[in-house]
């Protein structure tokens, strides 16, 4: 119960996994109440994440995944072991297990701040993005990357769906909204809706859906190294296969 | 700390002052936590308002005014006497006194629900509207009325400003957003952004700013009966003049 001022940003720390997956994990918090969430944590980086939470004096409420990743195992299961009160969240459409599932338009509240869920399928069927309450930033997962996008050739991927998702749900945000993706492989940390709308070589600059489908069909991508291990584990919220 | 579902509406009760001002007071609440706010309460209707709060088992957090009214005295002062923990809110631009002042883009949080402040001057210099967190409705005060609008000929009113406010801040909302005004004199209870955009005889249907300025200049309005009492009192949050 408070007034969140227009110029009062959410706490945000972008954390990088340099061990192989090039994943960005986002620690977000209410600077007043100290309640926080972790978005797209990576199993091998959970200790770092929890150290950040502790050093900032935060209470970890939710561990959230944008989708069931194919390139790394989520850290949510390990986080839950160390912070038993934390609840994991993933989209219902992902069909993965979590404490709570979300769908388009749901609002994840922590303290007096919140993230709005936008359904952005196409990279996977269950991909979602998270828009900050003040629309100052959006966590796009693998739907929209900086000058790129997630592949659409497995896990229920669909270039048509991804084009529609990005154009209807993301490019409709203010041009000034910062884009924070789940990965970057060239050390770029952020972009904006305006910049991607103008010059994303696959999805922006006036590219049509047909252009995009052709571009995505022409990519000659290797089979992801970790997919056979990561996807089944992530469908269980990162719980190791004990059989 | 929760997930507010996309299909979970805010609690809302529209209450009418039939004693003369034809004011709509809005009781809004988080159906989960029971925290509530009253928007544009009227002094003579405070007992009714508090009875509603009690019957619904709600906790009154804020008493909010869209602007310093000229046609009735706000109920916020009397509410504060009966619920000492309640805080009054008005816009900083109104220059009126209240416990808390707000400005464009601020978010008023009660429980896990919230209202976003939109600056909509023109009827008065300090008029604001309140958009529900899920954009399902907007409380427009006297800026936008059903098939009408507030007068612009006193209290720092400006037809130019009102036209710009309505077009940039209100008509840019989804067409389905319900419009709840501060008054109606013909027993209409609600409209929608789409309906007003299409057929508001002053501001919609393609009317230009010049059209609007001409319409407003041509209205031959009586001096408001209560203005000399109501405005000074409302600048003090409804506290009676004891001198
Ligand atoms: Fe992915
Ligand atoms: Fe008014």
């Amino acid at each position: 119960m408070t007034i969140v001022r227009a110029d009062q940003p959410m706490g945000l720390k972008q954390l990088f996994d340099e061990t192989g997956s090039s994943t960005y994990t986002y620690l977000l918090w209410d600077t007043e109440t100290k309640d926080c969430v972790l978005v797209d944590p990576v199993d091998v980086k959970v200790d770092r994440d929890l150290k950040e939470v502790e050093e900032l004096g935060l209470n970890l409420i939710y561990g959230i995944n944008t989708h069931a990743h194919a390139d790394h195992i989520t850290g949510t299961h390990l986080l839950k072991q160390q912070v038993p009160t934390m609840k994991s969240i993933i989209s219902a459409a992902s069909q993965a297990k979590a404490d709570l599932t979300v769908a388009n338009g749901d609002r994840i509240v922590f303290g007096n701040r919140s993230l709005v869920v936008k359904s952005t399928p196409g990279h996977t069927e269950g991909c979602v993005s998270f828009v900050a309450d003040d629309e100052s930033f959006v966590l796009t997962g693998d739907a929209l990357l900086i000058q790129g996008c997630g592949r659409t050739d497995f896990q229920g991927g669909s270039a048509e769906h991804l084009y529609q998702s990005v154009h209807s749900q993301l490019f409709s945000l203010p041009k000034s909204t910062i884009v924070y993706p789940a990965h970057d492989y060239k050390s770029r940390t952020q972009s904006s809706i305006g910049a991607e709308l103008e010059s994303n070589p696959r999805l922006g600059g006036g590219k049509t859906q047909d252009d995009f489908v052709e571009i995505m069909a022409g990519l000659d991508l290797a089979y992801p190294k970790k997919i056979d291990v990561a996807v089944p584990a992530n469908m269980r919220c990162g719980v190791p296969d004990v059989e």
Side-chain angles (χ1 to χ4, degrees), chain A:
Chain A
M1 250 82 69
T2 194
I3 297 172
V4 176
R5 299 297 174 183
D7 60 357
Q8 195 174 320
M10 213 183 276
L12 184 150
K13 200 149 187 179
Q14 186 183 39
L15 303 157
F16 188 65
D17 172 20
E18 78 297 345
T19 70
S21 77
S22 297
T23 300
Y24 283 123
T25 297
Y26 295 91
L27 175 61
L28 305 173
W29 67 97
D30 180 328
T31 55
E32 224 173 297
T33 68
K34 306 290 183 190
D35 296 303
C36 76
V37 300
L38 275 164
V39 180
D40 287 337
V42 179
D43 58 350
V44 296
K45 286 293 176 183
V46 156
D47 289 345
R48 171 205 61 187
D49 299 345
L50 288 175
K51 204 171 155 229
E52 294 283 354
V53 169
E54 199 188 337
E55 280 178 6
L56 290 159
L58 306 177
N59 321 309
L60 181 58
I61 310 295
Y62 295 124
I64 309 173
N65 283 294
T66 52
H67 64 293
H69 307 275
D71 58 348
H72 68 271
I73 294 176
T74 175
T76 43
H77 175 64
L78 295 174
L79 287 169
K80 278 169 62 76
Q81 289 184 333
Q82 299 211 44
V83 184
T85 54
M86 187 203 85
K87 291 198 189 308
S88 60
I89 296 179
I90 200 164
S91 78
S94 71
Q95 299 186 28
K97 278 194 185 134
D99 296 321
L100 296 161
T101 58
V102 288
N104 190 53
D106 287 353
R107 184 181 285 271
I108 301 168
V109 182
F110 47 104
N112 294 304
R113 306 303 305 232
S114 60
L115 295 171
V116 177
V117 179
K118 296 275 178 183
S119 172
T120 51
H123 166 61
T124 75
E125 273 184 302
C127 282
V128 292
S129 298
F130 300 109
V131 180
D133 47 18
D134 57 5
E135 293 193 331
S136 60
F137 66 85
V138 54
L139 307 184
T140 54
D142 292 4
L144 179 63
L145 301 177
I146 298 170
Q147 299 291 301
C149 65
R151 57 197 292 178
T152 56
D153 58 336
F154 57 74
Q155 279 188 282
S158 153
E160 287 84 355
H161 289 174
L162 185 54
Y163 186 91
Q164 287 158 21
S165 292
V166 170
H167 279 261
S168 69
Q169 299 274 50
L170 302 178
F171 283 174
S172 55
L173 292 166
K175 286 185 183 176
S176 59
T177 300
I178 295 169
V179 171
Y180 285 121
H183 301 284
D184 195 79
Y185 307 98
K186 296 180 181 171
S187 303
R188 294 165 299 193
T189 58
Q190 59 176 259
S191 183
S192 70
I193 291 297
E196 295 307 318
L197 184 57
E198 195 176 297
S199 64
N200 186 294
R202 295 179 181 173
L203 288 152
K207 287 274 191 303
T208 66
Q209 183 171 316
D210 286 348
D211 294 336
F212 182 66
V213 169
E214 204 184 309
I215 291 168
M216 296 310 283
L219 299 175
D220 192 23
L221 297 168
Y223 192 69
K225 271 176 276 179
K226 292 204 176 170
I227 188 168
D228 295 323
V229 176
V231 172
N234 288 333
M235 294 303 281
R236 298 184 303 265
C237 187
V239 180
D241 191 353
V242 288
E243 292 171 294

